[in-house]
Amino acid sequence: MAAGQTERGVPLSTLNPKFLHTNSTSHTWPFSAIAELIDNAYDVNAKQIWIDKTQIKDQECLTFMDNGNGLSYDMMHQMLSFGFSDKKAVNGKHPIGMYGNGFKSGSMRLGQDAIVLSKSKTDLCVGMLSQTYLKKIRAEQITVPIISIKKPEANNVLEEHRASLRDILDHSPFNTQEELLTELQAIESTGSSTGTRIIVWNLRRTFARHMEFDFTTDRYDIRIPSDVLESTTEPDQRPERSDSSIRESDLSLRAYCSILYLKPCMQINIRGQKVETQLISGSLEYIKKCTYMPMFVNEIIPITFGYNKMSKDQYGIMMYYKNRLIKAYHSVGCLRNVNNGIGVIGVIECNFLKPTHNKQDFDYSDEYRNAIRNVATKLEEYCKEIRFKRKKSNPSDNVPVEETEKRLDQNWAQCDECQQWRRLPDGINTEKLPEEWFCYMNPDPQFRSCETKEESEDSDSEQPTNLKTYKIQ
Amino acid sequence: MAAGQTERGVPLSTLNPKFLHTNSTSHTWPFSAIAELIDNAYDVNAKQIWIDKTQIKDQECLTFMDNGNGLSYDMMHQMLSFGFSDKKAVNGKHPIGMYGNGFKSGSMRLGQDAIVLSKSKTDLCVGMLSQTYLKKIRAEQITVPIISIKKPEANNVLEEHRASLRDILDHSPFNTQEELLTELQAIESTGSSTGTRIIVWNLRRTFARHMEFDFTTDRYDIRIPSDVLESTTEPDQRPERSDSSIRESDLSLRAYCSILYLKPCMQINIRGQKVETQLISGSLEYIKKCTYMPMFVNEIIPITFGYNKMSKDQYGIMMYYKNRLIKAYHSVGCLRNVNNGIGVIGVIECNFLKPTHNKQDFDYSDEYRNAIRNVATKLEEYCKEIRFKRKKSNPSDNVPVEETEKRLDQNWAQCDECQQWRRLPDGINTEKLPEEWFCYMNPDPQFRSCETKEESEDSDSEQPTNLKTYKIQ
């Protein structure tokens, strides 16, 4: 073990190449690894990300390209190191990343090797994190070749990066400097002068040497082979999932990405097709909002309840953290009893909790247990309230709430230019909107320009309400 | 970020002090963090480990002391680094550690700071991994002060370790070299000249500033406060646990340690009292053995089924990996139906699977799903078989199997000297054995000496059997 030390002579803790695998073992569900790479694009303020499967010189690859700010040499080195995260809130948008580990754990879960190509305002920059390379050179520590090219010249690698360039050309799919530059050019195809392109190769295969993803069933999706899940007697044993029925978002990256952010503000494209997202309030009926004030946290947390318009089989609490989905369709309280609360969705953003290593759960702390207890109680009140109200308004109606036809109300559309959401007037069917929609198409002149700030979701009629009218009666 | 590089000029990936926390977030259940430290003692061939809670200069501490081989300077540096694991099988005993991450993730989950004191045959060695220290010196990388003292002199720290010594004395609970040496002496109280002593301080506290462990309810145990779990509506949401009823092993470290190893071969002492372990075959009735041959693995894996003698409420599959418990009481197949398979325990050692980051689950792979499917099928056959046999032998008996009184048979005792297991003749009540038991007390003269090799468990009457006699009938 080649041991480094500080100037004073105190040893440094070092990183064995095997740790890249160790560190990736917290992702047992591959979409949670992909989500880490999507989060990174989100955190560099990308407006769009493109996820593709491609072949480079006979190698199957996954690519992730965004039009965010791009990375400088130092940022690239941080991304290829461990625990460096100095992401800060920009314009009120809080970064998701906090552990400085997402790229490493995510990319090394998906494949053996990854290369990151990036264009920032001032630099072109390429870095490589490759287990195959480290094995081949018999590295005792994790070395991460990085090159940068200052922008005006844009073809001369700095002298001090020559060794890194050599290693990248020898051990990545790109064997000449020209090929690398061409690949960097691809970023401009996004229409932006800055952005980042990640290529993962030597993708993980199953024990039977099949690819772990199914790319053929849906040409516009990346799927987990469904027989894999259906044939098992215990679907909830994907450890990162909590309930027993298989949902489309467990198997389809497209479905998962459509709910990955509470308020989608980055367009996600999978294999050439945009993911249709929706504001949560647009997908629910009988919406009630209430609030929760966690102990020791001086903040009021809104909780939204409603009945799922799309499918009564998908119900439970959607728990987000800084806009990012952590736990989906989580069964709490009365939902755990069969036939209870079917179709009910609760939505809460828990910035006061701590996500776990793989961002698929929260640390099992006091705060977490309190939050769950509280949400469970409120959920039960909500269910009673809705039943009571329906009984009162129509005593002879015996159809359960979850079986009634849901109104299509509160439609919102997202502008493909500015990514802001605009409320559409009643009666407009969002399914009939053109695939690309822009603010200038808005029937409501008040919000017909990208310059206009987004309307608050809370300005609608569903103000926090006292849930206990059924008790007063 | 102070960036190191190789001689050729390729940057090294570096470690930010914050990564110590990041890396610990996969342990959401604190006993899984403690288990990592117990595994380390097991892997250095300790015969005993002592786990205690103590106070050092007003600081509440957890201590872990073993009488294993101790660590050299290089081994200490590996233990304080990431991903270094070159543990090898010794005398047929396979090491559990494989990721080179247990000490870091475990200790940093339990507290902010840890010091490791070790005596090997040739060295005295002390190392420190401390988040408080790194914060105070504003470290940009993880520095790990390590000192070693060659044994004959045993009081002079090597000149090149002076800076490390300074940092340890300034930032650990031991402020003089004498205090450190005294603490190293404590290892000899184990009766062994080699061993390791780990002290964790600045123990984690809950949001309400309480200690996360309950040390008072049972003076001889380390417990997770039970109100914490009982008050929640969803006990199974400790993400690392899979079923909904709370078991003693979830709350009591003593209970957890009693099942932590399939074949206990290291004595675990918690707060001064030995953990009573048991061979699994001694705790089951109606034992049947069958086998499973995983795809692509040229090995026959035994599965043992039986009815739990102690408690019919604790049932499910116990999944071990290299002798270490990974998943406990895991519900598969027919166990998932209420009233089905109550009291049935299945035991399987899955060395062909890959444990996850926190060693509380297996990677959700093809192999895993196949194994579970197979175990589920065999379990169902076992239940049918037992019901059929009982019906046949006594057609009028309608008491369910799980309600019948279990025989106390197949008693084994473990020698406190050599840690080997000895089968006791029928009729001896193991509960009435003296607290310390040695081979020379064995009524069976054939196995009355520590020199005699342990009898194979399989030499008893429970050979692998065809489970399907009920079908043939």
Side-chain angles (χ1 to χ4, degrees):
Chain A
M1 186 158 99
Q5 55 177 36
T6 63
E7 277 171 34
R8 290 178 52 236
V10 180
L12 290 173
S13 182
T14 59
L15 279 163
N16 188 287
K18 283 188 216 147
F19 190 69
L20 292 175
H21 172 66
T22 299
N23 186 50
S24 76
T25 57
S26 70
H27 292 294
T28 58
W29 182 54
F31 290 169
S32 80
I34 291 182
E36 297 276 9
L37 303 184
I38 301 176
D39 287 344
N40 278 349
Y42 178 101
D43 282 348
V44 292
N45 297 308
K47 283 195 174 164
Q48 285 156 299
I49 180 171
W50 293 263
I51 303 172
D52 273 295
K53 181 229 148 192
T54 184
Q55 257 193 4
I56 300 177
K57 302 182 182 168
D58 292 337
Q59 278 273 11
E60 303 282 355
C61 304
L62 279 177
T63 66
F64 302 82
M65 183 157 67
D66 69 60
N67 56 9
N69 300 334
L71 305 166
S72 65
Y73 182 92
D74 284 346
M75 288 164 79
M76 179 75 83
H77 191 210
Q78 293 202 355
M79 185 169 166
L80 302 180
S81 292
F82 290 78
F84 293 85
S85 180
D86 47 14
K87 294 173 174 176
K88 288 190 185 63
V90 176
N91 298 332
K93 196 186 114 191
H94 290 273
I96 298 158
M98 58 187 287
Y99 289 147
N101 196 32
F103 172 71
K104 277 79 64 187
S105 73
S107 64
M108 296 295 105
R109 166 62 185 77
L110 296 170
Q112 286 289 307
D113 312 294
I115 190 168
V116 186
L117 306 111
S118 192
K119 295 183 89 158
S120 68
K121 271 191 190 148
T122 54
D123 298 85
L124 305 181
C125 197
V126 181
M128 182 171 78
L129 187 68
S130 163
Q131 299 181 68
T132 309
Y133 154 68
L134 292 169
K135 215 173 283 171
K136 239 179 221 161
I137 66 165
R138 297 194 189 159
E140 291 184 316
Q141 298 192 52
I142 300 175
T143 49
V144 286
I146 306 173
I147 58 168
S148 79
I149 303 169
K150 289 284 159 216
K151 236 179 175 177
E153 302 96 53
N155 50 19
N156 275 323
V157 174
L158 291 179
E159 193 52 38
E160 66 251 43
H161 300 160
R162 286 277 158 203
S164 288
L165 179 62
R166 194 66 268 145
D167 286 2
I168 292 173
L169 299 182
D170 284 354
H171 299 273
S172 81
F174 309 107
N175 307 123
T176 66
Q177 194 170 329
E178 290 65 43
E179 283 177 32
L180 267 189
L181 288 170
T182 309
E183 205 59 32
L184 273 162
Q185 286 304 324
I187 294 168
E188 286 182 12
S189 69
T190 68
S192 162
S193 61
T194 64
T196 301
R197 183 168 165 78
I198 296 170
I199 300 168
V200 182
W201 74 99
N202 278 323
L203 298 179
R204 183 190 274 223
R205 288 180 179 268
T206 67
F207 216 45
R209 306 296 306 150
H210 299 130
M211 298 280 272
E212 80 172 325
F213 293 116
D214 164 9
F215 295 108
T216 49
T217 301
D218 182 345
R219 195 247 156 282
Y220 298 105
D221 200 356
I222 294 174
R223 297 185 61 92
I224 296 175
S226 61
D227 62 318
V228 157
L229 293 173
E230 278 159 17
S231 59
T232 164
T233 51
E234 39 138 33
D236 77 347
Q237 283 318 307
R238 277 150 304 150
E240 295 161 358
R241 311 272 91 191
S242 61
D243 206 299
S244 60
S245 70
I246 296 173
R247 298 188 184 84
E248 182 64 3
S249 54
D250 294 335
L251 300 177
S252 153
L253 183 62
R254 181 169 293 280
Y256 178 54
C257 286
S258 77
I259 54 172
L260 185 58
Y261 299 105
L262 176 57
K263 182 157 194 173
C265 51
M266 175 176 72
Q267 191 188 88
I268 303 173
N269 300 275
I270 298 174
R271 304 180 77 189
Q273 208 164 75
K274 169 173 119 175
V275 171
E276 295 295 338
T277 55
Q278 196 162 28
L279 279 186
I280 207 78
S281 52
S283 62
L284 299 180
E285 168 112 58
Y286 303 114
I287 290 180
K288 289 275 167 198
K289 294 193 177 169
C290 55
T291 59
Y292 163 52
M293 185 142 161
M295 286 191 306
F296 312 106
V297 177
N298 197 8
E299 211 183 328
I300 291 165
I301 314 293
I303 313 176
T304 307
F305 291 108
Y307 275 81
N308 192 344
K309 278 183 198 175
M310 311 305 167
S311 157
K312 71 180 167 75
D313 297 328
Q314 308 206 343
Y315 59 97
I317 307 299
M318 312 295 282
M319 302 182 78
Y320 288 81
Y321 169 82
K322 294 187 179 166
N323 203 27
R324 151 73 133 88
L325 182 64
I326 304 292
K327 296 184 88 152
Y329 306 113
H330 181 38
S331 273
V332 303
C334 67
L335 296 185
R336 318 203 100 216
N337 303 331
V338 185
N339 300 328
N340 228 332
I342 289 173
V344 176
I345 294 275
V347 182
I348 181 169
E349 189 179 27
C350 305
N351 298 347
F352 57 97
L353 297 180
K354 296 244 180 327
T356 55
H357 199 272
N358 58 17
K359 296 207 193 97
Q360 298 294 309
D361 209 334
F362 289 104
D363 186 38
Y364 192 70
S365 61
D366 278 13
E367 306 93 291
Y368 174 76
R369 289 185 294 268
N370 278 324
I372 291 293
R373 230 177 352 247
N374 205 291
V375 171
T377 311
K378 293 217 159 71
L379 176 98
E380 203 150 346
E381 283 168 10
Y382 168 76
C383 291
K384 284 185 187 154
E385 171 82 5
I386 295 294
R387 276 199 295 272
F388 170 80
K389 276 196 174 165
R390 292 188 70 244
K391 201 80 200 162
K392 203 177 143 208
S393 68
N394 189 357
S396 63
D397 183 0
N398 286 321
V399 181
V401 193
E402 66 270 19
E403 303 293 351
T404 59
E405 205 182 312
K406 307 293 187 292
R407 285 175 303 155
L408 282 166
D409 58 356
Q410 290 178 319
N411 285 326
W412 294 72
Q414 187 174 28
C415 171
D416 279 309
E417 175 63 31
C418 67
Q419 308 297 328
Q420 294 190 94
W421 289 87
R422 304 298 181 195
R423 185 204 305 267
L424 301 174
D426 280 355
I428 291 188
N429 185 344
T430 45
E431 283 172 20
K432 298 210 171 137
L433 292 180
E435 203 176 312
E436 295 221 302
W437 190 91
F438 301 96
C439 287
Y440 69 78
M441 300 172 175
N442 193 349
D444 179 352
Q446 195 192 337
F447 295 97
R448 201 176 281 161
S449 151
C450 292
E451 307 299 312
T452 313
K453 223 179 140 245
E454 196 172 83
E455 179 181 9
S456 156
E457 254 192 281
D458 286 329
S459 66
D460 62 24
S461 56
E462 302 297 345
Q463 288 300 322
T465 41
N466 182 354
L467 281 171
K468 296 189 184 164
T469 54
Y470 73 93
K471 277 193 184 160
I472 299 161
Q473 300 283 327
Chain B
M1 189 157 95
Q5 57 178 37
T6 64
E7 276 170 34
R8 291 178 51 239
V10 180
L12 290 173
S13 182
T14 60
L15 279 162
N16 188 287
K18 281 188 217 147
F19 190 68
L20 292 175
H21 171 67
T22 300
N23 186 51
S24 76
T25 57
S26 70
H27 292 294
T28 58
W29 182 52
F31 290 169
S32 80
I34 290 181
E36 298 277 9
L37 303 184
I38 301 176
D39 287 344
N40 279 349
Y42 177 101
D43 282 348
V44 291
N45 297 308
K47 285 197 172 162
Q48 287 158 295
I49 181 171
W50 292 263
I51 303 172
D52 274 294
K53 181 229 147 190
T54 183
Q55 257 196 3
I56 300 177
K57 300 182 183 169
D58 293 337
Q59 278 272 13
E60 302 283 354
C61 304
L62 280 176
T63 65
F64 302 81
M65 184 157 67
D66 69 61
N67 55 9
N69 300 334
L71 305 165
S72 65
Y73 182 92
D74 284 349
M75 288 163 80
M76 180 75 83
H77 191 208
Q78 292 202 358
M79 185 169 166
L80 302 181
S81 291
F82 290 78
F84 292 86
S85 181
D86 47 13
K87 293 175 177 176
K88 286 188 187 64
V90 176
N91 299 331
K93 197 187 115 192
H94 289 273
I96 298 158
M98 57 189 287
Y99 287 148
N101 197 33
F103 171 71
K104 277 78 65 187
S105 73
S107 64
M108 297 294 106
R109 166 63 184 77
L110 296 171
Q112 285 290 306
D113 311 296
I115 189 166
V116 186
L117 306 112
S118 191
K119 294 183 90 159
S120 69
K121 271 189 190 148
T122 53
D123 298 86
L124 304 181
C125 199
V126 180
M128 183 172 79
L129 188 67
S130 163
Q131 299 181 70
T132 310
Y133 153 69
L134 293 168
K135 214 172 284 169
K136 237 178 223 163
I137 67 166
R138 295 194 190 157
E140 289 183 320
Q141 298 193 52
I142 299 175
T143 50
V144 286
I146 305 175
I147 59 168
S148 79
I149 303 171
K150 288 286 159 214
K151 237 180 176 177
E153 302 98 52
N155 50 21
N156 275 324
V157 173
L158 291 178
E159 193 52 38
E160 66 251 44
H161 301 161
R162 286 278 158 204
S164 287
L165 178 64
R166 192 67 266 147
D167 285 3
I168 291 174
L169 299 183
D170 284 353
H171 298 276
S172 81
F174 309 108
N175 307 124
T176 65
Q177 193 169 329
E178 290 64 45
E179 284 177 32
L180 267 190
L181 288 170
T182 309
E183 207 58 32
L184 274 162
Q185 286 305 326
I187 293 168
E188 287 182 12
S189 69
T190 68
S192 162
S193 61
T194 63
T196 301
R197 183 168 164 78
I198 296 171
I199 299 167
V200 182
W201 75 98
N202 277 324
L203 297 178
R204 184 192 273 224
R205 289 179 178 269
T206 67
F207 215 47
R209 304 297 304 151
H210 300 129
M211 299 280 272
E212 81 172 322
F213 293 117
D214 165 9
F215 295 107
T216 50
T217 300
D218 183 344
R219 197 241 157 282
Y220 298 105
D221 200 357
I222 294 173
R223 297 184 62 89
I224 295 176
S226 62
D227 62 318
V228 157
L229 294 172
E230 278 160 14
S231 58
T232 164
T233 50
E234 40 138 34
D236 77 347
Q237 284 316 308
R238 275 151 303 149
E240 297 160 359
R241 311 272 92 190
S242 61
D243 206 298
S244 62
S245 71
I246 296 172
R247 297 186 186 87
E248 183 64 3
S249 55
D250 294 335
L251 300 178
S252 153
L253 182 63
R254 181 169 293 278
Y256 178 54
C257 285
S258 77
I259 53 173
L260 185 58
Y261 300 104
L262 177 55
K263 182 159 191 172
C265 51
M266 176 176 71
Q267 191 189 87
I268 303 174
N269 299 276
I270 298 174
R271 303 181 79 190
Q273 208 163 76
K274 171 173 115 173
V275 172
E276 295 295 337
T277 55
Q278 197 162 25
L279 280 184
I280 207 79
S281 52
S283 62
L284 299 180
E285 168 113 55
Y286 303 114
I287 290 180
K288 288 276 167 200
K289 293 191 177 171
C290 55
T291 58
Y292 163 54
M293 185 144 159
M295 286 192 305
F296 313 105
V297 176
N298 197 8
E299 210 183 330
I300 291 166
I301 314 293
I303 313 176
T304 307
F305 290 109
Y307 275 82
N308 191 344
K309 279 184 199 173
M310 312 304 167
S311 158
K312 71 180 168 72
D313 297 328
Q314 307 207 343
Y315 59 97
I317 307 300
M318 311 295 283
M319 304 183 77
Y320 288 82
Y321 170 82
K322 296 188 179 166
N323 203 26
R324 153 70 133 91
L325 181 65
I326 302 292
K327 294 183 89 150
Y329 306 113
H330 181 38
S331 274
V332 303
C334 67
L335 296 186
R336 316 202 101 218
N337 302 332
V338 185
N339 299 328
N340 229 330
I342 288 174
V344 176
I345 294 277
V347 181
I348 181 169
E349 189 180 28
C350 306
N351 298 347
F352 58 96
L353 297 180
K354 294 245 180 330
T356 54
H357 198 273
N358 58 18
K359 296 206 193 96
Q360 298 294 308
D361 210 333
F362 290 104
D363 186 36
Y364 193 70
S365 61
D366 278 13
E367 305 94 293
Y368 174 76
R369 288 184 296 267
N370 278 324
I372 290 292
R373 220 163 17 231
N374 205 291
V375 171
T377 311
K378 294 218 159 73
L379 176 97
E380 203 149 347
E381 283 167 9
Y382 167 76
C383 292
K384 283 184 188 155
E385 171 81 5
I386 295 293
R387 274 199 297 271
F388 170 78
K389 276 199 172 163
R390 293 188 70 244
K391 200 81 199 161
K392 203 179 143 206
S393 66
N394 187 356
S396 64
D397 183 2
N398 286 319
V399 181
V401 195
E402 66 270 19
E403 301 293 351
T404 60
E405 205 181 312
K406 307 293 185 292
R407 284 177 302 156
L408 281 167
D409 60 354
Q410 291 177 318
N411 285 326
W412 294 71
Q414 187 173 27
C415 172
D416 279 310
E417 176 60 33
C418 69
Q419 310 296 328
Q420 293 190 94
W421 289 87
R422 304 299 181 196
R423 185 204 304 267
L424 301 176
D426 279 355
I428 290 189
N429 185 344
T430 46
E431 283 174 18
K432 297 212 170 133
L433 292 180
E435 202 175 314
E436 296 221 302
W437 190 91
F438 301 96
C439 288
Y440 70 77
M441 300 173 177
N442 193 351
D444 179 352
Q446 195 192 336
F447 295 98
R448 201 178 281 162
S449 152
C450 291
E451 306 301 311
T452 315
K453 223 180 141 240
E454 196 172 84
E455 178 182 10
S456 156
E457 252 190 283
D458 286 330
S459 66
D460 62 25
S461 57
E462 304 295 348
Q463 289 298 321
T465 40
N466 182 351
L467 280 172
K468 296 188 185 164
T469 54
Y470 74 94
K471 277 191 184 161
I472 299 161
Q473 302 281 331

